[in-house]
Amino acid sequence: MTAPAPGADARRITLTVNGRRHDVEVETRLTLADCLRHGLGLTGTHLGCEHGVCGACTVLVDGRSARSCLMLAVQANGAAITTVEGLAASDGTLHPLQQAFQAHHGLQCGFCTPGMLITLIEFLGDHPDPDAAAVREAIGGNLCRCTGYQGIVAATLDAARRMRAAP
Amino acid sequence: MSEGLIGRRLPRLEDPALLTGRGRFVDDIHIPGTLEAAFVRSPHPHARITRVDATAARRHPGVHAVYAYADLAPHLTANLIPADNRHLAFEANSRPPVLPVDEVCFVGEAVAIVVADSRYVAEDALALVEVDYDPVPGVSDCRAALAPGAPLAHLGAADNVVKTFQTAFGDCDAAFAGAPHVATISLKQHRGSAHSIEGRGVLARPDPVEDRLTVWSSTQGSHRVRNTLVELLRLDEDRVRVIVPDVGGAFGAKHIVYPEEVIVALAARLLGRPVKWIEDRREHFLAAVQERDQYWELEVAADRDGRLRGIRGRMIHDQGAYTLLGMNVPLNASLAMPGPYLLPAYQLDVTVVATNRVGVIPVRGAGYPEGVFAMERVMDSLARDLGLDRAEVRRRNLIPPERIPFDLPLKSRDGTVTRYDSGDFPLCQAKALAAADYAGFPARQETARAEGRYRGIGLANAVKITGRGPFETAIVRIGPSGKVTVHTGAMPMGQGTVTSFAQICADVLGLAPEDVTVVAGDTATVSLGIGGFGSRQTVNAGSSLLLAAREVRAKALAVGALVLEAAAEDLELRGGAVWIKGTDRQLPFAEIARALGGGVGYARPKDVSPGLEATGNFMPPDVTYGNACHVVEVEVDVGTGAVQILRYVVVNDSGKLINPMIVEGQIIGGVAHGIGNALFEWMGYDEGGQPLTTNFGEYLLPTAPVVPEIEIHHVVTPSTVNPLGVKGVGEAGVIPAAAAIIAAVENALEPFGVTLAEAPISPGRLVELMAAGRS
Ligand code: FES
Ligand code: FES
C-alpha cells in the first residue's frame, strides 16, 4: 500500500522507530504518518485531520513532538522516532502516564489518545511539576471530542506526581 | 454472587489496548491486496451534471476502476438510500441517491468513486475525472428558501417545503386571552458538525469462493448497514457480514448509512478485491451530517408571577439537501421544549425546509439542545420582563416531584403519551444552585464590576428522552472453555460499553469484569440490532444482558444442584464455578457447559434448555427520561468579546449508575460539545450554499484551555421502566449546555443592554451587540 508506484519519485530511507531500525523505500510525497501506519504497520498513530490541527498524529522525532501528517517520511530519514507503541516498557508495563490515563478516565474512544500521550510525555519531560492550567495549554493543540479533557488533565497531574516520586 | 459490581468506578477494560496503540480502527485493518478509494465530489451547491468522462482517469497507472452512476446503476436494486423511518415517510426526492443521476444538491455530494492501488494514486486520478456541471441557483438559508420565487434545492420540486407539522396540546387561545403578560421571542441556532476525531470509514472484502461480503464500517449501526447492503445489492442476509471495529467517536455522524458505504461495498464486489475508503476531515466537513439550524418565533403568555400560561409559535428547520432519518430532529426539538416545566398550552408549527447544504440528522442531542435553548430563553425573558430572579421563575414552573410520573399530553414519535417516569426537577435545580453558590453571585458580580470585569451566571434545565426501544439483544454464552462471552447489537464508540456490560454480567455470574468478553457490533453473532443512538444502549441492551445473565445463572444453579446434590439455595456462583456455600465442593462453568452442551455421560436436569447460554431481548414498555440542571459562571472581556467559563456545575439524574466514572465522562464530554455549540462551532455557508469553514482552522472545536473543570453531582431517581433502573446519559451533558452558557454571557453583559437570541455566539458578534446596546 505504501510501496512506491512504478516511476514515482522515491528514496530509500532509514528510520529508527521505537528503537528498531527500518530500511524502507518510500515515495518522496509519502507522509511520515502513512509510512508508520501503512508502511511499518504501526497503526497506533492516528490521523484525525491531516492538516496539522488535531494532534492525533503526534510522534516524537529525535525526542521532540512532530505532527506526522505534516512531515514527509523522507524528512525523517535517519531520525529516531517514538510512537505510542513504544511507550510501555519492554515487559509490557504501562508508562505511568498510560496507567494514569486508565485510572482517571483520560480516554473514551481512544482515537486522540496516542497524540495526547506523546504530546504529554514531551511536556512532562520539560515540566515535571506542572499545574492544571499548564497541562491544558500543553494539549491546547490536541483535539478530543469525547472526554472534555478533564480526565486527561487529571491523569497528567497524577502521572507527574508518580514520575517525580519514582524518576 | 459477588455483590456490588454495579455502581463501581472500575477502570475500563477497553483502555490497555487503546493506550498502547493496539486499538483496531477501520483504517488499522490491513488486508493484503486492498485497493483504496477516493470520491469525486461536487464543487457546486447545486448543479446539473451534463457529462461524466472517466477515460483519462481509468488510464492513469494504478487506477483499477472509476464508477459513476451509469456504471453502478445496473448492479443496484434502487438508486436511493432506503428510508429508515416508515411512519414519517417523505417524498422520494428528499432521500439521497446512491450516486446522483444528473443533479447534485450540495457541495461534497459524491459523484464518482476512483479505486486505485493507494489513496495517493486515487486522489491523483480524481483530477482526471471530467465532470461537466451546469450550475443552477442554490438556496442556503432556510428562511430564504421559503420566500416566493426562491431557488429550489431540488430541480423539479414544487417548493422547498419538505414537510409541515404541528406539535400541540392544551388550549392556546384560552391561555393567551387575557394573559397579564405576553411577549415575543425570536431565536436562531446555527449548525455544526459531529467531528468525531476519527472520520467515517469502510472496508469491504468480497469472498468469491463463498460469495460472501464482509464489511468493516465505522458506524453506529452494524445491522442498519447490513440491511441496506442486502436491500440495494440484492444479497441474502447470511452473505453479508458487517463488523464494527473500534470506533473513534461518532456523535451522530455515523448513525445513518451513507452512499459511500454502499458504493465501496459494491466496488469491492465488482473488482473482486478488498476496497477501503477512509473519510478525510475535509470530507467530514462537506459530506457528514450536521445539525442545529433552526429559527424559532415564539409568543409566550404568563401570569405576573412568572407562571407559564402558554407558548405558541413557529419554527423553521433546515433539513439540508436530503432527509436521511425522517423528521426526528425537528420533531424532537418541538417535543423537547416543555421540558421539566408545567406548560398548560403549547402549539408549535414546524416547517421543515430543504436547502443546498449537507443533510441534517442528529448530532449529539438530536433536537433537544434546540428545544431546550428555546424554553430556557423564554424563562430568562420572563424573568427580565417581570423583574423576577431567573432561578425563581424556573422554580415556580418546574413540575413538582409529587406529580411524577407526569403525563405530558403530547404525542411522542410512536404515538404514545409522553410520560416522565421518574425524576425530581426542583431538587436538581436547588442542588445545582447551592453547589454553584448562586445566592452569593450578586456579590461576586458586584466585586468584579467594581474592578471593571464583567461576570455573569446562567442556568438551564433539561429533560431528555432516553432508552428508546423496541429492544437491543444481548446473548450470554459459556462454552466448554468455561469462558463467558456477551454478544450484543449495542454499538460501542467510546462510551465504555464493554466495561459497563462486563460489570452487569459479572455481577450476576459472580465473576470479575475482566472474565467477561463483550463482543459488540458484529452481525454474524447477533441476528438483530438497532444501534447506538439516542442514549439507549445501556437501557435496552444492558437490561437484556441482565435478564440473559440471570437465566444463565439459573441454569448453572440447576445443573449445580443436580450434580452436587445440594439445594439451590445452598449454592453460590463464584470465580467461574458453582459452589456449595461454605465448602470446597464446586462445579466449574466449563463442566456445566459440557453437560448442557449435550456431552455424553453428563447429568443434566430435564427441564433445563440446551446450552449454558441465554438470549435477552428486553422490550422497554416505555422510554425513560433523564434530566439535568446546569449552572455556569462566566467572565466576558468587554474589549474583545472573549468569554471565559469560570465555573461549570452539573446536577444530573440518569437513574442508577452502572459505572459512575464512565457516566461522568459522558456528561463532561457532552458539556464540552455544548461549549462548542455556544461559543465556537459555526459551520459557515455562503448565500448559495458554498461551505466556508472546511478545516479546523476555520471551524473551532473546543480545546483544553477553553473547557473548564466540570463539577458533577448526581441525583438518582431510578427509572421505573427497566430492571436496571438506568436512564441513558450519552447526550445528557450537551443538551442544556448552550442555553446555560448563553444565559450567563447575557447576564454578564446586562449593563450593555445586550440580550442574546442566538447560538453560537462569537467574540466579534458580542462586541457588535455591545456596541449596538450602547448606542
Ligand atoms: S492528523 Fe496530524 S494534526 Fe491532525
Ligand atoms: S477519546 Fe475520543 S477523541 Fe479523545
Side-chain angles (χ1 to χ4, degrees):
Chain A
M1 263 174 282
T2 50
D9 188 30
R11 299 279 188 287
R12 183 153 281 283
I13 60 167
T14 302
L15 304 176
T16 305
V17 186
N18 303 327
R20 206 174 133 201
R21 193 186 143 108
H22 300 266
D23 292 299
V24 281
E25 194 181 2
V26 295
E27 279 189 36
T28 48
R29 65 173 175 172
L30 186 75
T31 65
L32 177 59
D34 284 341
C35 178
L36 292 168
R37 288 181 48 75
H38 304 305
L40 305 182
L42 294 168
T43 54
T45 299
H46 295 156
L47 289 166
C49 71
E50 296 173 84
H51 55 260
V53 184
C54 77
C57 65
T58 308
V59 298
L60 295 179
V61 177
D62 290 332
R64 302 315 295 189
S65 61
R67 309 228 141 170
S68 63
C69 73
L70 293 186
M71 187 166 178
L72 297 172
V74 290
Q75 292 175 289
N77 186 21
I81 293 164
T82 304
T83 69
V84 67
E85 288 93 340
L87 297 183
S90 48
D91 68 352
T93 307
L94 297 184
H95 185 283
L97 186 64
Q98 291 171 309
Q99 294 176 19
F101 261 58
Q102 183 175 28
H104 295 274
H105 198 22
L107 67 158
Q108 290 184 21
C109 78
F111 201 77
C112 70
T113 310
M116 290 285 181
L117 290 170
I118 295 283
T119 303
L120 286 166
I121 284 198
E122 179 189 45
F123 170 73
L124 288 174
D126 296 343
H127 306 88
D129 190 9
D131 62 12
V135 175
R136 286 183 182 270
E137 277 308 319
I139 54 167
N142 291 68
L143 297 175
C144 174
R145 190 53 144 172
C146 298
T147 64
Y149 307 103
Q150 196 155 317
I152 298 172
V153 174
T156 308
L157 296 175
D158 186 25
R161 266 189 301 275
R162 294 191 209 188
M163 288 161 72
R164 286 198 307 276
Chain B
M1 171 169 171
S2 70
E3 284 304 330
L5 286 180
I6 304 295
R8 299 252 315 265
R9 295 174 181 269
L10 299 180
R12 301 197 322 165
L13 302 171
E14 290 90 337
D15 291 354
L18 295 170
L19 284 165
T20 50
R22 288 182 289 112
R24 215 171 191 250
F25 299 89
V26 60
D27 194 28
D28 301 343
I29 301 168
H30 282 151
I31 300 171
T34 298
L35 302 174
E36 297 184 348
F39 284 91
V40 178
R41 296 184 181 276
S42 170
H44 301 288
H46 199 190
R48 283 194 185 85
I49 301 172
T50 55
R51 187 180 72 102
V52 180
D53 184 347
T55 317
R58 289 193 177 106
R59 280 202 204 113
H60 188 72
V63 170
H64 290 253
V66 180
Y67 301 125
Y69 163 73
D71 308 298
L72 296 187
H75 308 284
L76 292 165
T77 57
N79 187 36
L80 213 50
I81 298 293
D84 189 66
N85 205 334
R86 305 265 178 205
H87 63 263
L88 291 163
F90 304 90
E91 299 83 328
N93 78 351
S94 67
R95 282 189 277 137
V98 177
L99 280 170
V101 183
D102 54 10
E103 180 188 1
V104 283
C105 294
F106 66 95
V107 171
E109 186 166 1
V111 173
I113 184 173
V114 176
V115 186
D117 284 333
S118 75
R119 176 70 175 244
Y120 287 70
V121 175
E123 290 193 15
D124 292 341
L126 289 183
L128 301 174
V129 180
E130 293 173 30
V131 184
D132 290 349
Y133 297 99
D134 177 10
V136 294
V139 59
S140 180
D141 184 306
C142 59
R143 293 164 302 176
L146 290 175
L152 293 169
H154 294 269
L155 295 170
D159 55 35
N160 292 317
V161 176
V162 182
K163 198 168 186 87
T164 59
F165 65 88
Q166 185 182 76
T167 296
F169 58 77
D171 183 346
C172 265
D173 290 342
F176 277 81
H181 176 77
V182 174
T184 58
I185 295 167
S186 302
L187 301 170
K188 74 173 180 197
Q189 297 174 73
H190 193 78
R191 61 162 74 194
S193 310
H195 287 307
S196 49
I197 302 301
E198 181 206 34
R200 298 178 289 141
V202 57
L203 164 65
R205 180 182 66 184
D207 175 353
V209 178
E210 293 197 51
D211 190 23
R212 281 179 202 277
L213 181 67
T214 306
V215 176
W216 291 261
S217 183
S218 187
T219 179
Q220 294 170 238
S222 52
H223 289 73
R224 195 191 296 258
V225 173
R226 197 262 323 258
N227 295 349
T228 302
L229 295 177
V230 161
E231 183 170 339
L232 288 179
L233 305 186
R234 199 182 279 112
L235 298 168
D236 292 349
E237 272 87 353
D238 69 332
R239 302 267 161 214
V240 186
R241 176 181 181 189
V242 176
I243 303 170
V244 182
D246 285 332
V247 171
F251 313 111
K254 302 174 182 178
H255 182 17
I256 54 156
V257 181
Y258 288 87
E260 288 95 336
E261 288 167 298
V262 178
I263 298 164
V264 167
L266 179 50
R269 271 175 70 80
L270 293 175
L271 291 163
R273 298 266 299 263
V275 176
K276 179 193 275 185
W277 166 71
I278 301 299
E279 180 184 64
D280 67 24
R281 188 54 52 182
R282 184 179 156 76
E283 291 179 294
H284 192 85
F285 272 104
L286 297 180
V289 297
Q290 303 172 352
E291 186 196 315
R292 310 249 200 274
D293 269 338
Q294 289 182 353
Y295 296 85
W296 295 61
E297 299 288 337
L298 297 170
E299 243 189 315
V300 52
D303 291 328
R304 287 212 189 287
D305 64 358
R307 278 177 226 272
L308 287 167
R309 292 169 65 106
I311 294 176
R312 66 187 172 197
R314 178 167 185 231
M315 186 253 281
I316 302 172
H317 170 85
D318 172 9
Q319 183 55 46
Y322 295 110
T323 303
L324 305 144
L325 202 73
M327 293 287 98
N328 70 341
V329 173
L331 187 63
N332 282 356
S334 73
L335 296 172
M337 190 176 186
Y341 302 111
L342 288 166
L343 176 61
Y346 177 49
Q347 181 179 322
L348 190 72
D349 290 289
V350 180
T351 308
V352 180
V353 181
T355 63
N356 295 104
R357 298 177 178 181
V358 71
V360 165
I361 65 149
V363 172
R364 202 172 198 170
Y368 274 76
E370 295 95 307
V372 167
F373 183 75
M375 188 54 139
E376 296 299 312
R377 292 282 73 207
V378 164
M379 286 291 157
D380 287 340
S381 87
L382 280 181
R384 188 170 49 241
D385 292 347
L386 299 171
L388 297 166
D389 175 71
R390 291 171 295 159
E392 177 58 17
V393 170
R394 287 172 169 81
R395 192 193 62 75
R396 289 179 189 174
N397 283 289
L398 284 171
I399 299 165
E402 57 273 17
R403 292 194 54 188
I404 305 280
F406 182 83
D407 285 342
L408 202 60
L410 199 53
K411 291 275 198 295
S412 71
R413 256 155 67 181
D414 46 15
T416 54
V417 164
T418 298
R419 164 169 287 199
Y420 298 157
D421 56 312
S422 63
D424 187 337
F425 310 145
L427 175 69
C428 286
Q429 176 170 309
K431 280 188 81 150
L433 295 175
D437 187 22
Y438 183 80
F441 178 73
R444 293 198 293 281
Q445 190 174 42
E446 205 175 312
T447 311
R449 276 189 197 161
E451 296 165 6
R453 292 181 295 110
Y454 291 85
R455 278 197 180 196
I457 198 164
L459 77 157
N461 289 299
V463 173
K464 171 69 170 73
I465 191 171
T466 75
R468 186 181 293 284
F471 63 86
E472 194 72 80
T473 308
I475 301 168
V476 178
R477 282 200 184 117
I478 305 176
S481 67
K483 296 226 163 67
V484 181
T485 306
V486 172
H487 299 276
T488 176
M491 211 61 50
M493 47 196 131
Q495 332 87 317
T497 310
V498 165
T499 303
S500 306
F501 283 22
Q503 283 179 250
I504 294 169
C505 184
D507 189 63
V508 176
L509 296 180
L511 298 164
E514 51 271 26
D515 296 332
V516 179
T517 302
V518 178
V519 179
D522 183 346
T523 62
T525 64
V526 181
S527 64
L528 303 170
I530 315 278
F533 57 91
S535 308
R536 65 182 297 278
Q537 304 205 99
T538 306
V539 173
N540 282 275
S543 298
S544 294
L545 173 56
L546 181 72
L547 301 183
R550 282 180 181 163
E551 196 177 327
V552 166
R553 176 187 163 81
K555 287 171 114 175
L557 286 172
V559 176
L562 180 76
V563 174
L564 297 171
E565 297 178 328
E569 53 275 18
D570 293 332
L571 299 176
E572 64 182 352
L573 270 62
R574 180 159 48 83
V578 176
W579 296 75
I580 302 179
K581 285 180 204 162
T583 73
D584 59 357
R585 296 191 52 217
Q586 51 109 352
L587 186 67
F589 285 175
E591 284 291 299
I592 301 173
R594 283 189 201 114
L596 291 178
V600 177
Y602 285 86
R604 54 188 160 258
K606 294 227 174 328
D607 55 350
V608 173
S609 63
L612 187 50
E613 61 180 53
T615 299
N617 270 314
F618 173 70
M619 298 180 71
D622 201 349
V623 294
T624 180
Y625 288 84
N627 70 283
C629 180
H630 291 195
V631 182
V632 193
E633 194 166 324
V634 302
E635 183 167 322
V636 183
D637 181 326
V638 297
T640 63
V643 176
Q644 191 193 353
I645 299 176
L646 303 171
R647 185 99 196 268
Y648 203 114
V649 172
V650 172
V651 173
N652 195 79
D653 186 349
S654 292
K656 284 181 71 170
L657 311 177
I658 307 295
N659 184 325
M661 178 189 82
I662 289 174
V663 169
E664 286 163 13
Q666 290 298 303
I667 294 168
I668 295 166
V671 170
H673 199 140
I675 291 171
N677 290 150
L679 301 173
F680 299 105
E681 297 186 45
W682 182 78
M683 181 65 208
Y685 288 87
D686 78 4
E687 268 173 32
Q690 186 66 238
L692 303 173
T693 53
T694 56
N695 62 58
F696 283 147
E698 296 160 343
Y699 181 102
L700 304 179
L701 287 183
T703 57
V706 302
V707 176
E709 181 90 11
I710 317 274
E711 180 182 327
I712 298 177
H713 304 268
H714 299 286
V715 166
V716 176
T717 54
S719 170
T720 58
V721 293
N722 66 70
L724 287 168
V726 295
K727 305 174 179 184
V729 73
E731 298 163 289
V734 76
I735 291 166
I741 295 163
I742 294 292
V745 173
E746 180 179 87
N747 181 241
L749 298 182
E750 208 178 5
F752 299 86
V754 169
T755 54
L756 298 180
E758 63 201 66
I761 192 129
S762 66
R765 177 74 178 136
L766 283 178
V767 169
E768 203 175 286
L769 289 168
M770 280 186 272
R774 275 196 202 100
S775 61

